[in-house]
Amino acid sequence: MHKKSIVELSASLAKAEISSVELTQHYLKRIKQYNKNLNAFITVIEEQAMQQARLADQRRAKQEYVTPLTGIPIAHKDIFSTKDVLTSCGSRMLSNYIPPYNASIVEKLQDAGMVLLGKTNMDEFAMGSSNENSYYGSVRNPWNPDYVPGGSSGGSAAAVASRIIPCATGTDTGGSIRQPASLCGITGLKPTYGRLSRHGMIAYASSLDSGGILTGNAEDTALLFNYLACFDPKDSTSIQQPTPDYTAKLNQPLDKLRIGIPTEYLAHDLNPDVLNALEQAKSIFLSMGVTFKSISLPHTHLAIPVYYLVSCAECASNLARYDGVRYGYRCKHPKDLTDLYFRSRSEGFGSEVKRRILAGTYTLSGSSYDTHYRRVKRMRHVISNDYQNAFKEVDVILGPTAPTPAFRLGEKLKDPITMYLSDIFTVSNNLAGVPGISIPAGFSSNLPIGIQITGNHFTEAKLLNIAHQFQQQTDWHKRIPEQFA
Amino acid sequence: MAWETTIGLEVHIQLKTNSKLFSTASTVYGADPNTQACSLDLGLPGLLPVANQKAIDMAVRFGLSVAANIDQCSFFSRKHYWYPDLPKGYQITQHSRPIIKNGQLPISLSNGETRFINIERAHLEEDAGKLLHHGFHGNAAVDFNRAGTALLEIVSAPELHSPEEAVAYLKTLHRLVRYLDICDGNMQEGSFRCDVNVSIRPTGQTELGTRTETKNLNSFRFVERAIIYEVQRQIALTKQNEPIHQETRLFNPDTGKTYTLRSKEDAEDYAYFPDPDLLPITITDSSIAQEKEKLPELPWVKQARFIKDHHLNPDDAQILTAQRATADYFEETLQYCQADEQLVAHWIIGELFAALHKAHLSINNSPINPQQLAKLLNRLHDTTISNKIAKIVFEAVWNGKGDPDAIIEEKGLQQITDNSLLERCINELFARSEPQIAEYKAGNKKVFTYFVGQIMKATQGKANPAQVNLLLREKLRELYT
């Protein structure tokens, strides 16, 4: 059952070949069997899930409010607020926090009839590229348990890659959906900033955070995206823009497509297997009649420093609310108010979060605001302009998602700068607000390699179309780690 | 040495919006603690602010009323500090680009002069919660009902020079924001609170002295007293060659003194930056035009018109224009009334205000409506009733006994203007008043008042006093001849 795509499962449900209860039981069983080793889930809600599944079956039986997603299991990254279900954000700070409301994304998928099985592990407050920064422990890469799954949506990526869940939500602030999708060999879409609602998504860096999804293939992603993309009045940065039928556009021919590969990406010290996968992908696209062009994103080298300045500044502000007063972790026996603040935050946050809060506080403080924050905002415009110039010449941009396949657990923990560089090809999208999709495109000694396609604002339909056509010619996305087959 | 005082005022007005600046929670005052704080107001993770358009419209309306510049692309910033009543660790406010800039407020001084006081800026911001210190066994509790309430902070230029001017400015502003219907002006409930910046300098010095800021004054009287105290304190310090520290102070109404809350040296770095959760506040030309249409006649314009067109003296005009409802009541009464404006003004300020005050009613809830008051005054004007009877009729109408005319009719309160009837009364009186007549004849003219009183008594006050006077004099004269 778990080898089927969501589209296939949906068809089986529609024909009553299987029930949602059976499907849910199957995945719950797999979670029970494999999660111990993967550590992909923080919370599994078996009872509620079964209840939802029964409801979904009733809906299908009565043909009431049925969507193609009715009865399909899903997991949410533990950054999305789920009513009455622990939402820890991978942090000790929120290890006792149960939201009284649902995030808009959670609500929309629930309305479509999806069955929530649990909440996935993640780097604390979405800060990390390896999922080693979680209060709930590291997540393992299903392809090799000694390797990281990537981050920060590592739990979602590992769970989908091992098919212990057919799909999961994620968030992407600098690559947190695309990089783990790449490292785990699955499909991950980071939409245009403002395309999905941020309401109920715990903020890391508000101007960069995007919700998105991780699935087995582009067709499934399109199906889910049909139910996610919309304007939300509860999010002032959400954008009013028509939503096409993403599924209907999957099969458009690519013969008129122009793809650009930035010279800056190739100049980077790329892993030879990653470079090879990119070359292979290029020849597949060429065989479909696509034209390739060499382009330039001249300010690529600025992306990482600009990203860390912006994201740390916003995170320092966003995380100021965790003070031990109203909810979340509170230190034991505070002496006074200062002690309460000081120890609750010192004990409640992990080291990477503290590092970024400190950096961000510095960026925003008095005199450094002008030298750093203001200048950095200008640099963001420069990086956005690079994309706008590129999109005058080509329709989409192709490149590797990450410079290397998955790395070993602990390998980069001691060296935050190297860790930060694993986001080198993904952060620019967030700075410019443009969408990107990572799809599997090869292997390097049994570890997956992903490629990224980037388009201009609101071109998700195009990206899914290209990814789907690529997946019609390849079978990388169908591979499942042997252990989980 | 002569000293000059310089005062700048920062007024926080609570905007009269039903919901908060960024959430849909209610803003009604006085609810049980934390019953009007939604998840967003409590700073729960994941919730995003959505700016209240009504609050923005109100800020625009205020800007227009003081002829200010309206920034059509201002934005919200985050101001960071730590306090338990601040749920997000930052306050959403406006910093480098306030929505309103460079306005002017005309204030009238007691010498009859009008001065224009510059308003440097007005910006939108959210209020914080409230700490409760009593009843928690030595602990403190937080009530977040007020958290997120929409405020407009109005900052004057430092160009007021006396407590009198400061209070005149505040009263003018207070009247204005109620006219604009953007603030209920309730000072006890904190809807209109004031921070006062005071400095002194030797007269003639161009450079301003070091200022202190006295925060959260919620009555005009406290503002006045705080300024007087602060000026005296600063002069005394300077005379002793002691420095004045730039600091934030509080006023204690019991002692009449101000005291240090915190010095500016430990001023925090608020780390302002534009709030990434909110878009810039864009204001279109058409929304400005719409607000312009909603502008009422401004209070100082109305007051001048009352003096000019209704021939009122400045004091009465001031009182009648203190509230829009009073001014409307006055003008509506005039519409139905043949009596002159001063009479109407005096009845409203005198009889009506006294009755309203006694019954703790606002003029909007007056049991007597303008039409009824007009009818009553018309009868007074056409001498159907006397002033004294008018007061009785007023009371009857107030108590819901019906229309003035019906009451007058029913109770037979019309003045007795029938000469023969009055003459009969006088004859009867004279018949039993021989000693008094003798006194009168002897030259004691005071007895005349006795006669008038007796006639009024005999007619139950319904006689027209002027007519009684006339007839009495005639009759007395007859007695002589």
Side-chain angles (χ1 to χ4, degrees):
Chain A
M1 232 185 281
H2 54 272
K3 287 182 186 158
K4 287 186 175 175
S5 72
I6 296 172
V7 172
E8 288 163 344
L9 290 174
S10 177
S12 300
L13 283 168
K15 285 185 233 152
E17 291 165 359
I18 48 162
S19 69
S20 178
V21 166
E22 286 168 327
L23 200 55
T24 303
Q25 273 167 340
H26 178 72
Y27 280 106
L28 282 171
K29 205 176 123 201
R30 282 182 70 79
I31 293 171
K32 213 168 253 173
Q33 191 177 351
Y34 297 115
N35 189 51
K36 227 176 273 160
N37 299 328
L38 288 171
N39 197 25
F41 277 85
I42 291 175
T43 304
V44 180
I45 47 167
E46 214 174 314
E47 260 176 58
Q48 290 113 299
M50 288 309 297
Q51 201 186 334
Q52 289 298 310
R54 281 191 291 273
L55 236 121
D57 284 335
Q58 281 167 23
R59 264 164 80 164
R60 282 206 182 261
K62 290 185 198 157
Q63 285 298 305
E64 275 174 7
Y65 315 111
V66 176
T67 77
L69 296 174
T70 305
I72 304 282
I74 190 170
H76 290 306
K77 185 179 181 179
D78 213 19
I79 200 168
F80 288 102
S81 302
T82 41
K83 191 170 188 283
D84 302 331
V85 177
L86 173 75
T87 301
S88 73
C89 221
S91 181
R92 183 185 196 186
M93 185 57 90
L94 292 178
S95 55
N96 61 359
Y97 172 64
I98 295 170
Y101 74 103
N102 277 328
S104 289
I105 284 180
V106 171
E107 197 74 19
K108 289 194 76 79
L109 294 181
Q110 187 178 298
D111 289 349
M114 293 197 88
V115 178
L116 178 63
L117 266 50
K119 307 290 293 287
T120 58
N121 204 342
M122 57 181 285
D123 280 303
E124 183 176 8
F125 283 100
M127 298 176 200
S129 310
S130 67
N131 221 310
E132 292 166 293
N133 299 332
S134 169
Y135 175 62
Y136 296 90
S138 304
V139 178
R140 308 291 169 136
N141 191 313
W143 293 92
N144 187 331
D146 296 333
Y147 285 74
V148 302
S152 66
S153 310
S156 291
V160 173
S162 59
R163 303 296 195 267
I164 62 175
I165 197 82
C167 56
T169 52
T171 59
D172 190 313
T173 306
S176 282
I177 286 175
R178 291 159 290 156
Q179 185 256 18
S182 169
L183 269 47
C184 289
I186 58 168
T187 302
L189 173 67
K190 172 222 137 19
T192 308
Y193 183 82
R195 175 77 289 184
L196 300 196
S197 171
R198 289 192 297 120
H199 168 75
M201 202 171 98
I202 299 179
Y204 156 22
S206 314
S207 73
L208 303 165
D209 293 342
S210 283
I213 21 179
L214 300 103
T215 69
N217 62 69
E219 194 183 16
D220 287 353
T221 306
L223 179 59
L224 276 143
F225 209 61
N226 282 332
Y227 292 89
L228 286 172
C230 79
F231 167 73
D232 184 357
K234 290 178 185 155
D235 172 3
S236 307
T237 59
S238 155
I239 298 172
Q240 220 147 9
Q241 181 84 13
T243 45
D245 180 340
Y246 295 94
T247 302
K249 304 222 167 190
L250 285 174
N251 287 311
Q252 288 180 325
L254 301 185
D255 54 334
K256 295 218 173 62
L257 188 73
R258 299 165 304 164
I259 295 182
I261 297 183
T263 49
E264 289 79 7
Y265 286 10
L266 300 174
H268 194 273
D269 190 15
L270 274 183
N271 173 300
D273 291 337
V274 172
L275 187 63
N276 191 35
L278 189 64
E279 285 302 325
Q280 263 192 6
K282 186 177 168 183
S283 50
I284 291 165
F285 280 122
L286 280 171
S287 73
M288 290 189 263
V290 170
T291 343
F292 271 85
K293 208 173 165 187
S294 175
I295 56 156
S296 175
L297 297 172
H299 298 95
T300 301
H301 63 287
L302 290 175
I304 290 281
V306 167
Y307 168 76
Y308 277 96
L309 279 162
V310 172
S311 64
C312 290
E314 292 184 8
C315 107
S317 172
N318 284 330
L319 271 58
R321 68 185 62 205
Y322 307 111
D323 56 8
V325 173
R326 284 146 293 124
Y327 54 82
Y329 179 78
R330 177 186 287 194
C331 69
K332 289 213 167 67
H333 313 299
K335 281 203 308 273
D336 53 27
L337 184 60
T338 313
D339 189 45
L340 169 78
Y341 285 156
F342 189 84
R343 280 201 292 126
S344 298
R345 287 172 68 79
S346 298
E347 294 164 17
F349 289 136
S351 60
E352 181 61 28
V353 171
K354 280 188 261 197
R355 188 182 351 257
R356 295 192 196 190
I357 290 175
L358 284 175
T361 305
Y362 173 71
T363 306
L364 289 177
S365 63
S367 53
S368 82
Y369 177 83
D370 281 301
T371 39
H372 292 124
Y373 195 76
R374 246 187 251 274
R375 202 182 297 174
V376 148
K377 278 202 119 172
R378 275 204 301 278
M379 296 325 297
R380 251 182 110 161
H381 278 286
V382 169
I383 289 166
S384 293
N385 282 341
D386 278 3
Y387 277 107
Q388 291 316 312
N389 289 333
F391 289 130
K392 281 176 198 153
E393 295 180 56
V394 295
D395 300 307
V396 294
I397 296 166
L398 180 69
T401 308
T404 63
F407 42 92
R408 282 179 177 276
L409 281 154
E411 188 182 319
K412 296 186 179 180
L413 262 187
K414 293 274 168 325
D415 184 1
I417 301 294
T418 332
M419 183 80 89
Y420 293 174
L421 285 175
S422 63
D423 292 332
I424 181 106
F425 300 124
T426 47
V427 292
S428 303
N429 290 50
N430 300 77
L431 291 168
V434 295
I437 189 167
S438 177
I439 51 175
F443 280 87
S444 168
S445 45
N446 204 37
L447 287 170
I449 293 168
I451 52 166
Q452 174 180 231
I453 312 163
T454 294
N456 208 345
H457 297 116
F458 300 104
T459 56
E460 286 85 355
K462 174 67 32 188
L463 298 186
L464 289 164
N465 169 214
I466 299 166
H468 179 65
Q469 290 308 310
F470 183 79
Q471 289 176 344
Q472 298 305 100
Q473 307 295 321
T474 57
D475 68 349
W476 308 114
H477 61 285
K478 289 188 177 154
R479 311 250 182 122
I480 301 172
E482 245 169 65
Q483 195 198 336
F484 303 98
Chain B
M1 192 190 289
W3 300 93
E4 186 186 46
T5 304
T6 305
I7 302 161
L9 297 169
E10 292 167 22
V11 178
H12 286 88
I13 64 162
Q14 186 183 316
L15 294 175
K16 229 171 128 181
T17 53
N18 295 328
S19 61
K20 295 187 178 177
L21 186 51
F22 299 111
S23 84
T24 51
S26 163
T27 54
V28 176
Y29 181 83
D32 285 343
N34 296 312
T35 55
Q36 285 180 179
C38 68
S39 304
L40 185 109
D41 304 325
L42 296 174
L44 292 196
L47 288 147
L48 300 167
V50 178
N52 185 331
Q53 188 57 43
K54 288 227 169 84
I56 294 168
D57 293 344
M58 286 179 180
V60 170
R61 206 181 310 160
F62 173 76
L64 292 169
S65 76
V66 291
N69 294 331
I70 288 153
D71 191 332
Q72 290 181 258
C73 196
S74 69
F75 56 80
F76 287 109
S77 290
R78 295 180 179 181
K79 175 184 180 177
H80 300 83
Y81 63 92
W82 301 88
Y83 206 62
D85 67 4
L86 189 71
K88 297 186 293 294
Y90 58 82
Q91 176 197 28
I92 306 179
T93 178
Q94 294 195 282
H95 184 54
S96 46
R97 287 276 292 272
I99 186 164
I100 303 297
K101 255 183 160 164
N102 303 331
Q104 284 199 321
L105 190 72
I107 64 168
S108 357
L109 302 172
S110 57
N111 61 6
E113 236 179 79
T114 296
R115 266 190 65 200
F116 285 88
I117 305 300
N118 285 299
I119 289 174
E120 283 182 348
R121 58 183 280 161
H123 66 255
L124 288 163
E125 64 182 26
E126 56 177 349
D127 209 343
K130 236 183 231 171
L131 281 192
L132 309 171
H133 292 285
H134 301 293
F136 301 98
H137 314 287
N139 292 323
V142 201
D143 175 7
F144 287 103
N145 281 355
R146 202 181 63 181
T149 303
L151 300 177
L152 186 68
E153 179 175 339
I154 301 160
V155 182
S156 84
E159 53 189 33
L160 296 153
H161 298 296
S162 68
E164 186 218 346
E165 285 185 10
V167 169
Y169 170 90
L170 289 175
K171 285 188 171 166
T172 308
L173 188 62
H174 187 249
R175 181 167 66 160
L176 173 63
V177 296
R178 282 177 308 147
Y179 260 65
L180 299 173
D181 202 24
I182 62 175
C183 174
D184 67 18
N186 193 321
M187 297 178 83
Q188 270 91 51
E189 293 175 5
S191 302
F192 188 97
R193 20 186 226 269
C194 186
D195 302 342
V196 186
N197 290 290
V198 178
S199 67
I200 55 154
R201 62 180 163 186
T203 307
Q205 182 182 306
T206 45
E207 200 186 321
L208 287 171
T210 305
R211 69 187 155 90
T212 61
E213 182 183 17
T214 305
K215 272 194 150 344
N216 270 328
L217 296 158
N218 65 350
S219 94
F220 300 134
R221 181 84 192 114
F222 292 169
V223 168
E224 193 179 359
R225 287 168 61 198
I227 293 171
I228 291 169
Y229 177 80
E230 210 27 46
V231 169
Q232 283 170 349
R233 190 185 70 87
Q234 292 185 14
I235 292 175
L237 280 174
T238 313
K239 279 184 177 165
Q240 291 160 25
N241 281 324
E242 299 272 350
I244 295 162
H245 297 290
Q246 191 180 342
E247 60 189 5
T248 304
R249 302 177 70 85
L250 285 179
F251 176 70
N252 182 341
D254 297 329
T255 60
K257 293 178 179 174
T258 66
Y259 59 92
T260 306
L261 176 69
R262 57 175 179 264
S263 80
K264 284 280 169 183
E265 277 97 74
D266 16 280
E268 289 170 81
D269 180 354
Y270 290 126
Y272 286 104
F273 85 108
D275 192 324
D277 286 333
L278 288 157
L279 303 178
I281 308 169
T282 46
I283 297 165
T284 58
D285 291 340
S286 74
S287 74
I288 292 180
Q290 244 172 39
E291 284 309 313
K292 223 172 221 163
E293 256 172 53
K294 281 190 208 154
L295 271 190
E297 182 181 32
L298 296 176
W300 50 86
V301 176
K302 200 184 275 288
Q303 190 177 333
R305 182 169 63 80
F306 276 23
I307 294 170
K308 188 168 168 283
D309 296 354
H310 296 320
H311 315 102
L312 298 182
N313 65 46
D315 285 347
D316 288 352
Q318 159 104 48
I319 295 168
L320 288 176
T321 56
Q323 288 184 55
R324 233 163 109 182
T326 313
D328 290 348
Y329 191 103
F330 170 70
E331 291 203 294
E332 207 185 326
T333 309
L334 286 187
Q335 269 183 35
Y336 301 104
C337 198
Q338 285 100 43
D340 63 58
E341 293 105 328
Q342 285 94 331
L343 184 74
V344 175
H346 289 157
W347 268 80
I348 291 175
I349 295 168
E351 212 65 26
L352 182 66
F353 276 12
L356 289 170
H357 181 75
K358 208 173 141 197
H360 304 290
L361 288 174
S362 77
I363 197 155
N364 290 320
N365 301 318
S366 167
I368 295 188
N369 65 36
Q371 237 168 312
Q372 289 170 321
L373 182 65
K375 277 187 187 164
L376 171 67
L377 297 181
N378 282 344
R379 296 295 80 82
L380 186 61
H381 176 73
D382 65 15
T383 71
T384 307
I385 54 173
S386 66
N387 203 51
K388 198 175 162 195
I389 295 293
K391 287 183 183 176
I392 294 166
V393 177
F394 179 91
E395 209 182 311
V397 180
W398 178 276
N399 290 324
K401 299 276 158 62
D403 215 47
D405 286 330
I407 293 168
I408 293 166
E409 188 68 37
E410 188 185 313
K411 296 196 170 172
L413 295 172
Q414 297 94 331
Q415 285 196 115
I416 300 166
T417 46
D418 181 349
N419 266 351
S420 59
L421 192 87
L422 286 176
E423 272 170 30
R424 211 184 311 137
C425 281
I426 291 170
N427 291 339
E428 277 168 22
L429 173 67
F430 283 1
R432 55 177 161 89
S433 305
E434 257 174 51
Q436 286 85 353
I437 292 170
E439 262 184 70
Y440 186 82
K441 276 183 179 169
N444 184 359
K445 303 290 180 209
K446 276 185 191 162
V447 186
F448 188 76
T449 7
Y450 165 79
F451 294 137
V452 176
Q454 288 300 306
I455 298 296
M456 294 311 283
K457 197 176 162 191
T459 56
Q460 289 145 346
K462 290 183 286 185
N464 180 341
Q467 199 179 357
V468 171
N469 278 356
L470 206 70
L471 281 172
L472 266 174
R473 277 186 215 288
E474 259 177 42
K475 287 275 173 198
L476 285 167
R477 212 175 302 128
E478 277 171 26
L479 286 176
Y480 286 115
T481 50

